[in-house]
Amino acid sequence: YKDVCKTLDPKEEYDLFISQTPIVNAGAYGMDKPIIILNSGTLWLLNDDEISFILGHELGHIMSDHVLYRTMTVLLIQLAEMGFPVVGLAARAVLVALLEWYRKSELSSDRAGLLTVQDPEIAMNAMLKMAGGIPNGGKWDSEYSLDEFIAQAEEYKTGGDVADQVYKVLNLMATTHPFYVLRVSEIRDWIEGGDYDRIIRGEYARRGEPDPAYQEDLKEAASAYADGAKDFLDTMTDAAKRAGSDFMSGFRR
C-alpha cells in the first residue's frame, strides 16, 4: 500500500483495513476522512501485483473525490433494500442517476489502478480473476486465458442485435459496477487512444498547477452523457418497433 501511495502521490495516506469476508471486493468509504477496505477474499484471490492494482483503483476513488457520492449511493441502496419510506419515487430516480455515475467512476478508477502498476496485463488479469473467481496459485491458473477473456469482452461489447443491446443496458441499471468484460474493453480503449502513454511520459497537470481544461472536461462529460442517453432511447425505440412488427407478423400467420 505504501508503494501504491508513493506512485499515485495522494495528499495523505488514508487508513487501510482488512475485512474478514469471502466476498471478493474492496471499497473506499467515508466523508471528511475516507478509508479503504480490502476484503480478505480479495487477498486470497489475487497476487501482490494485482492487489496493487486494486489498491490503486480504490485510492483513485479518493483522489478523484468520488467517495462522498459513492457513500451516499451505498446508503440509498441499503435503505431501498430495507423498504425504508424515505426512498420514494423521487429518491429512486436520484438513485438510478447515482448508479450510472457510480459505474462510470469505476472506469475512471480502473485507470488509476493501471497507472499504479503500469502494466496492462496485470490490470486485466486482476479483472479476469475477479470475474471468474480463479484463486491465486490455484490449480486452475494454467486453464484460463487472458486472450480469450479479451475476445469475450470485445464480443460482448459489439455483438448481438438491437434487442440484445437493450437487455445489456437493463442488466446494468440496478448494478454498482460494470461487468468486467466491459471494464476490460474500456481500459483497452483508453490505452489505444494514447492517453495512458501520454501520462506515463509525464504529460499531466501537477498538483497546484492551474487546470485550464476543467470546464472543457465538464462540457465533454455532459455531451457524452447526453449522447449516451439519446443512443439508449433510440435503441429502446428500435427494439419496441421490432417487437411490435414481430408480434403483428406472428398474429397474421
Side-chain angles (χ1 to χ4, degrees), residues 62-80:
I62 295 176
M63 296 177 68
S64 301
D65 292 329
H66 292 163
V67 180
L68 173 60
Y69 293 106
R70 289 171 61 84
T71 303
M72 288 172 53
T73 306
V74 170
L75 291 174
L76 275 174
I77 291 172
Q78 291 175 343
L79 290 173

PDB file of all heavy atoms in Angstrom, residues 62-80:
ATOM      1  N   ILE A  62     -10.641   7.984  -4.044  1.00  0.00           N
ATOM      2  CA  ILE A  62     -10.463   9.049  -3.050  1.00  0.00           C
ATOM      3  C   ILE A  62      -9.873  10.294  -3.698  1.00  0.00           C
ATOM      4  O   ILE A  62     -10.359  11.415  -3.490  1.00  0.00           O
ATOM      5  CB  ILE A  62      -9.565   8.554  -1.899  1.00  0.00           C
ATOM      6  CG1 ILE A  62     -10.263   7.411  -1.144  1.00  0.00           C
ATOM      7  CG2 ILE A  62      -9.226   9.703  -0.952  1.00  0.00           C
ATOM      8  CD1 ILE A  62      -9.415   6.789  -0.051  1.00  0.00           C
ATOM      9  N   MET A  63      -8.837  10.114  -4.508  1.00  0.00           N
ATOM     10  CA  MET A  63      -8.160  11.258  -5.116  1.00  0.00           C
ATOM     11  C   MET A  63      -9.033  11.966  -6.146  1.00  0.00           C
ATOM     12  O   MET A  63      -8.824  13.142  -6.440  1.00  0.00           O
ATOM     13  CB  MET A  63      -6.845  10.795  -5.749  1.00  0.00           C
ATOM     14  CG  MET A  63      -5.838  10.268  -4.735  1.00  0.00           C
ATOM     15  SD  MET A  63      -4.312   9.643  -5.485  1.00  0.00           S
ATOM     16  CE  MET A  63      -3.599  11.172  -6.108  1.00  0.00           C
ATOM     17  N   SER A  64     -10.023  11.257  -6.678  1.00  0.00           N
ATOM     18  CA  SER A  64     -10.949  11.859  -7.650  1.00  0.00           C
ATOM     19  C   SER A  64     -12.198  12.435  -6.980  1.00  0.00           C
ATOM     20  O   SER A  64     -13.130  12.846  -7.669  1.00  0.00           O
ATOM     21  CB  SER A  64     -11.370  10.813  -8.687  1.00  0.00           C
ATOM     22  OG  SER A  64     -10.259  10.296  -9.376  1.00  0.00           O
ATOM     23  N   ASP A  65     -12.218  12.440  -5.640  1.00  0.00           N
ATOM     24  CA  ASP A  65     -13.369  12.955  -4.879  1.00  0.00           C
ATOM     25  C   ASP A  65     -14.654  12.199  -5.184  1.00  0.00           C
ATOM     26  O   ASP A  65     -15.743  12.775  -5.204  1.00  0.00           O
ATOM     27  CB  ASP A  65     -13.569  14.451  -5.148  1.00  0.00           C
ATOM     28  CG  ASP A  65     -12.442  15.302  -4.585  1.00  0.00           C
ATOM     29  OD1 ASP A  65     -11.863  14.914  -3.548  1.00  0.00           O
ATOM     30  OD2 ASP A  65     -12.127  16.345  -5.187  1.00  0.00           O
ATOM     31  N   HIS A  66     -14.535  10.892  -5.410  1.00  0.00           N
ATOM     32  CA  HIS A  66     -15.722  10.070  -5.657  1.00  0.00           C
ATOM     33  C   HIS A  66     -16.407   9.631  -4.365  1.00  0.00           C
ATOM     34  O   HIS A  66     -17.574   9.243  -4.392  1.00  0.00           O
ATOM     35  CB  HIS A  66     -15.325   8.781  -6.404  1.00  0.00           C
ATOM     36  CG  HIS A  66     -14.868   9.003  -7.803  1.00  0.00           C
ATOM     37  ND1 HIS A  66     -14.164   8.050  -8.520  1.00  0.00           N
ATOM     38  CD2 HIS A  66     -14.997  10.058  -8.648  1.00  0.00           C
ATOM     39  CE1 HIS A  66     -13.891   8.503  -9.718  1.00  0.00           C
ATOM     40  NE2 HIS A  66     -14.381   9.719  -9.819  1.00  0.00           N
ATOM     41  N   VAL A  67     -15.691   9.666  -3.247  1.00  0.00           N
ATOM     42  CA  VAL A  67     -16.097   8.880  -2.079  1.00  0.00           C
ATOM     43  C   VAL A  67     -17.412   9.362  -1.473  1.00  0.00           C
ATOM     44  O   VAL A  67     -18.253   8.552  -1.064  1.00  0.00           O
ATOM     45  CB  VAL A  67     -14.975   8.886  -1.016  1.00  0.00           C
ATOM     46  CG1 VAL A  67     -15.387   8.071   0.196  1.00  0.00           C
ATOM     47  CG2 VAL A  67     -13.709   8.298  -1.617  1.00  0.00           C
ATOM     48  N   LEU A  68     -17.638  10.664  -1.400  1.00  0.00           N
ATOM     49  CA  LEU A  68     -18.873  11.175  -0.801  1.00  0.00           C
ATOM     50  C   LEU A  68     -20.096  10.639  -1.527  1.00  0.00           C
ATOM     51  O   LEU A  68     -21.023  10.100  -0.912  1.00  0.00           O
ATOM     52  CB  LEU A  68     -18.872  12.709  -0.818  1.00  0.00           C
ATOM     53  CG  LEU A  68     -20.183  13.368  -0.374  1.00  0.00           C
ATOM     54  CD1 LEU A  68     -20.533  12.982   1.051  1.00  0.00           C
ATOM     55  CD2 LEU A  68     -20.089  14.885  -0.522  1.00  0.00           C
ATOM     56  N   TYR A  69     -20.118  10.767  -2.865  1.00  0.00           N
ATOM     57  CA  TYR A  69     -21.283  10.327  -3.629  1.00  0.00           C
ATOM     58  C   TYR A  69     -21.396   8.809  -3.652  1.00  0.00           C
ATOM     59  O   TYR A  69     -22.502   8.262  -3.683  1.00  0.00           O
ATOM     60  CB  TYR A  69     -21.214  10.893  -5.056  1.00  0.00           C
ATOM     61  CG  TYR A  69     -21.373  12.396  -5.080  1.00  0.00           C
ATOM     62  CD1 TYR A  69     -20.280  13.225  -5.317  1.00  0.00           C
ATOM     63  CD2 TYR A  69     -22.612  12.980  -4.857  1.00  0.00           C
ATOM     64  CE1 TYR A  69     -20.422  14.608  -5.315  1.00  0.00           C
ATOM     65  CE2 TYR A  69     -22.758  14.363  -4.864  1.00  0.00           C
ATOM     66  CZ  TYR A  69     -21.657  15.175  -5.093  1.00  0.00           C
ATOM     67  OH  TYR A  69     -21.803  16.533  -5.083  1.00  0.00           O
ATOM     68  N   ARG A  70     -20.270   8.115  -3.625  1.00  0.00           N
ATOM     69  CA  ARG A  70     -20.320   6.653  -3.573  1.00  0.00           C
ATOM     70  C   ARG A  70     -20.911   6.207  -2.230  1.00  0.00           C
ATOM     71  O   ARG A  70     -21.712   5.271  -2.175  1.00  0.00           O
ATOM     72  CB  ARG A  70     -18.918   6.074  -3.762  1.00  0.00           C
ATOM     73  CG  ARG A  70     -18.402   6.217  -5.172  1.00  0.00           C
ATOM     74  CD  ARG A  70     -16.926   5.839  -5.262  1.00  0.00           C
ATOM     75  NE  ARG A  70     -16.714   4.447  -4.882  1.00  0.00           N
ATOM     76  CZ  ARG A  70     -16.856   3.421  -5.712  1.00  0.00           C
ATOM     77  NH1 ARG A  70     -17.230   3.638  -6.964  1.00  0.00           N
ATOM     78  NH2 ARG A  70     -16.629   2.182  -5.304  1.00  0.00           N
ATOM     79  N   THR A  71     -20.525   6.878  -1.141  1.00  0.00           N
ATOM     80  CA  THR A  71     -21.082   6.549   0.166  1.00  0.00           C
ATOM     81  C   THR A  71     -22.580   6.830   0.202  1.00  0.00           C
ATOM     82  O   THR A  71     -23.366   6.025   0.728  1.00  0.00           O
ATOM     83  CB  THR A  71     -20.360   7.356   1.268  1.00  0.00           C
ATOM     84  OG1 THR A  71     -18.950   7.083   1.213  1.00  0.00           O
ATOM     85  CG2 THR A  71     -20.892   6.998   2.643  1.00  0.00           C
ATOM     86  N   MET A  72     -23.004   7.959  -0.373  1.00  0.00           N
ATOM     87  CA  MET A  72     -24.434   8.270  -0.448  1.00  0.00           C
ATOM     88  C   MET A  72     -25.192   7.200  -1.232  1.00  0.00           C
ATOM     89  O   MET A  72     -26.294   6.794  -0.842  1.00  0.00           O
ATOM     90  CB  MET A  72     -24.630   9.637  -1.132  1.00  0.00           C
ATOM     91  CG  MET A  72     -24.224  10.828  -0.293  1.00  0.00           C
ATOM     92  SD  MET A  72     -24.258  12.355  -1.259  1.00  0.00           S
ATOM     93  CE  MET A  72     -25.910  12.320  -1.927  1.00  0.00           C
ATOM     94  N   THR A  73     -24.608   6.736  -2.323  1.00  0.00           N
ATOM     95  CA  THR A  73     -25.257   5.718  -3.146  1.00  0.00           C
ATOM     96  C   THR A  73     -25.434   4.424  -2.367  1.00  0.00           C
ATOM     97  O   THR A  73     -26.506   3.806  -2.392  1.00  0.00           O
ATOM     98  CB  THR A  73     -24.436   5.454  -4.424  1.00  0.00           C
ATOM     99  OG1 THR A  73     -24.202   6.686  -5.096  1.00  0.00           O
ATOM    100  CG2 THR A  73     -25.180   4.512  -5.358  1.00  0.00           C
ATOM    101  N   VAL A  74     -24.383   4.008  -1.669  1.00  0.00           N
ATOM    102  CA  VAL A  74     -24.455   2.771  -0.879  1.00  0.00           C
ATOM    103  C   VAL A  74     -25.543   2.882   0.188  1.00  0.00           C
ATOM    104  O   VAL A  74     -26.335   1.949   0.401  1.00  0.00           O
ATOM    105  CB  VAL A  74     -23.085   2.464  -0.238  1.00  0.00           C
ATOM    106  CG1 VAL A  74     -23.211   1.332   0.772  1.00  0.00           C
ATOM    107  CG2 VAL A  74     -22.073   2.094  -1.319  1.00  0.00           C
ATOM    108  N   LEU A  75     -25.620   4.041   0.854  1.00  0.00           N
ATOM    109  CA  LEU A  75     -26.644   4.236   1.885  1.00  0.00           C
ATOM    110  C   LEU A  75     -28.046   4.183   1.287  1.00  0.00           C
ATOM    111  O   LEU A  75     -28.960   3.579   1.861  1.00  0.00           O
ATOM    112  CB  LEU A  75     -26.413   5.571   2.607  1.00  0.00           C
ATOM    113  CG  LEU A  75     -25.168   5.647   3.497  1.00  0.00           C
ATOM    114  CD1 LEU A  75     -24.986   7.059   4.034  1.00  0.00           C
ATOM    115  CD2 LEU A  75     -25.259   4.655   4.638  1.00  0.00           C
ATOM    116  N   LEU A  76     -28.242   4.819   0.136  1.00  0.00           N
ATOM    117  CA  LEU A  76     -29.555   4.791  -0.520  1.00  0.00           C
ATOM    118  C   LEU A  76     -29.943   3.376  -0.933  1.00  0.00           C
ATOM    119  O   LEU A  76     -31.100   2.973  -0.790  1.00  0.00           O
ATOM    120  CB  LEU A  76     -29.552   5.714  -1.748  1.00  0.00           C
ATOM    121  CG  LEU A  76     -29.857   7.189  -1.494  1.00  0.00           C
ATOM    122  CD1 LEU A  76     -29.682   7.988  -2.784  1.00  0.00           C
ATOM    123  CD2 LEU A  76     -31.273   7.374  -0.958  1.00  0.00           C
ATOM    124  N   ILE A  77     -28.972   2.630  -1.437  1.00  0.00           N
ATOM    125  CA  ILE A  77     -29.248   1.235  -1.823  1.00  0.00           C
ATOM    126  C   ILE A  77     -29.682   0.428  -0.605  1.00  0.00           C
ATOM    127  O   ILE A  77     -30.652  -0.333  -0.657  1.00  0.00           O
ATOM    128  CB  ILE A  77     -28.003   0.608  -2.475  1.00  0.00           C
ATOM    129  CG1 ILE A  77     -27.744   1.244  -3.848  1.00  0.00           C
ATOM    130  CG2 ILE A  77     -28.184  -0.902  -2.631  1.00  0.00           C
ATOM    131  CD1 ILE A  77     -26.436   0.820  -4.471  1.00  0.00           C
ATOM    132  N   GLN A  78     -28.979   0.609   0.503  1.00  0.00           N
ATOM    133  CA  GLN A  78     -29.319  -0.138   1.714  1.00  0.00           C
ATOM    134  C   GLN A  78     -30.700   0.242   2.221  1.00  0.00           C
ATOM    135  O   GLN A  78     -31.483  -0.623   2.639  1.00  0.00           O
ATOM    136  CB  GLN A  78     -28.256   0.108   2.786  1.00  0.00           C
ATOM    137  CG  GLN A  78     -26.905  -0.514   2.454  1.00  0.00           C
ATOM    138  CD  GLN A  78     -25.836  -0.167   3.466  1.00  0.00           C
ATOM    139  OE1 GLN A  78     -25.973   0.780   4.249  1.00  0.00           O
ATOM    140  NE2 GLN A  78     -24.742  -0.919   3.456  1.00  0.00           N
ATOM    141  N   LEU A  79     -31.036   1.530   2.165  1.00  0.00           N
ATOM    142  CA  LEU A  79     -32.366   1.965   2.589  1.00  0.00           C
ATOM    143  C   LEU A  79     -33.448   1.414   1.675  1.00  0.00           C
ATOM    144  O   LEU A  79     -34.522   0.999   2.135  1.00  0.00           O
ATOM    145  CB  LEU A  79     -32.430   3.497   2.618  1.00  0.00           C
ATOM    146  CG  LEU A  79     -31.623   4.188   3.732  1.00  0.00           C
ATOM    147  CD1 LEU A  79     -31.631   5.688   3.528  1.00  0.00           C
ATOM    148  CD2 LEU A  79     -32.179   3.837   5.097  1.00  0.00           C
ATOM    149  N   ALA A  80     -33.160   1.403   0.367  1.00  0.00           N
ATOM    150  CA  ALA A  80     -34.138   0.877  -0.588  1.00  0.00           C
ATOM    151  C   ALA A  80     -34.374  -0.612  -0.353  1.00  0.00           C
ATOM    152  O   ALA A  80     -35.508  -1.101  -0.423  1.00  0.00           O
ATOM    153  CB  ALA A  80     -33.657   1.123  -2.019  1.00  0.00           C
TER     154      ALA A  80
END
